[in-house]
Amino acid sequence: MAYDLSDLKTRMQKSIASLRDELAGLRTGRASPSLLEPVTVEAYGSRMPLNQVATVTVPEPRMLSVQVWDRQMANAVEKAIRDSGLGLNPMGEGQVIRVPLPELNEQRRKELAKVAHNYAEAARVAVRHIRRDGMDALKKAEKDGDLSQDDSRVQADLVQKATDAAVAEIDQVLAAKEAEIMQV
């Protein structure tokens, strides 16, 4: 009986996708609609994500444009962006709110690179936990007699190769984000 690696690979890919999502939220000086994803707006008596009351576009590399659907919500959206803790200063122009992204200084770039490294390390740890789960399942199958010792060793090598590939992909994602952060 061969051990099914597809579940482990799927879980590892989910860890990598989670890393990509976290890194997308890091402000690099280049405009990205995902930068405003954590912003919530006080709208219609409750807190709503910004993308449920407005459309975010990137008209220029260092500018976000927020098109509010309901004109009465423009001030609330502007206030939510200002109070979000992202260090952004929106400028309202009717239903359109322009959000210029300030230039990052060298110290801030280095801080963001450290944050990116922390996210990548958390993803590596998650992948190692998935590998450990896979190895435990192999040992249990071997102990129960469902898997021979030789098959278990072969499957363990496959689990390790999948882990190495996932860690290499994490390193590539981190290197790309780091280059984007350090780009002036």
Side-chain angles (χ1 to χ4, degrees), residues 1-5 134-135 137-139 141-143 145-159:
M1 174 197 132
Y3 180 71
D4 185 24
L5 289 175
M135 294 297 199
L138 287 174
K139 286 178 187 168
E142 183 181 339
K143 185 178 152 201
D146 296 338
L147 205 58
S148 72
Q149 201 171 15
D150 288 342
D151 288 344
S152 176
R153 201 169 293 123
V154 168
Q155 295 297 323
D157 287 344
L158 292 175
V159 169

Side-chain angles (χ1 to χ4, degrees), residues 88-115:
L88 301 174
N89 191 20
M91 299 176 292
E93 300 170 0
Q95 275 186 273
V96 177
I97 299 169
R98 301 210 180 281
V99 185
L101 295 181
E103 191 72 42
L104 295 175
N105 61 22
E106 191 64 27
Q107 179 183 358
R108 183 66 180 138
R109 289 178 192 280
K110 288 179 181 174
E111 289 172 11
L112 287 173
K114 285 181 184 176
V115 171

Side-chain angles (χ1 to χ4, degrees), residues 14-147:
K14 285 181 182 176
S15 294
I16 293 168
S18 174
L19 171 66
R20 288 179 201 268
D21 290 345
E22 287 176 333
L23 290 179
L26 279 183
R27 187 163 71 84
T28 60
R30 182 182 299 157
S32 167
S34 62
L35 181 62
L36 295 178
E37 279 180 6
V39 176
T40 57
V41 181
E42 186 68 38
Y44 310 113
S46 65
R47 302 225 32 99
M48 301 175 79
L50 179 65
N51 63 6
Q52 291 184 6
V53 294
T55 305
V56 181
T57 57
V58 184
E60 300 172 28
R62 301 190 93 60
M63 175 82 67
L64 288 172
S65 176
V66 181
Q67 175 76 41
V68 182
W69 300 329
D70 182 356
R71 181 181 291 273
Q72 297 167 346
M73 295 302 304
N75 288 337
V77 169
E78 197 173 330
K79 182 180 183 319
I81 293 171
R82 190 171 288 115
D83 297 344
S84 67
L86 294 172
L88 301 174
N89 191 20
M91 299 176 292
E93 300 170 0
Q95 275 186 273
V96 177
I97 299 169
R98 301 210 180 281
V99 185
L101 295 181
E103 191 72 42
L104 295 175
N105 61 22
E106 191 64 27
Q107 179 183 358
R108 183 66 180 138
R109 289 178 192 280
K110 288 179 181 174
E111 289 172 11
L112 287 173
K114 285 181 184 176
V115 171
H117 276 277
N118 290 342
Y119 287 162
E121 187 55 35
R124 286 188 200 102
V125 168
V127 166
R128 287 188 209 113
H129 285 304
I130 295 167
R131 175 189 63 191
R132 186 194 61 217
D133 292 346
M135 294 297 199
D136 289 348
L138 287 174
K139 286 178 187 168
K140 184 179 182 316
E142 183 181 339
K143 185 178 152 201
D144 293 346
D146 296 338
L147 205 58

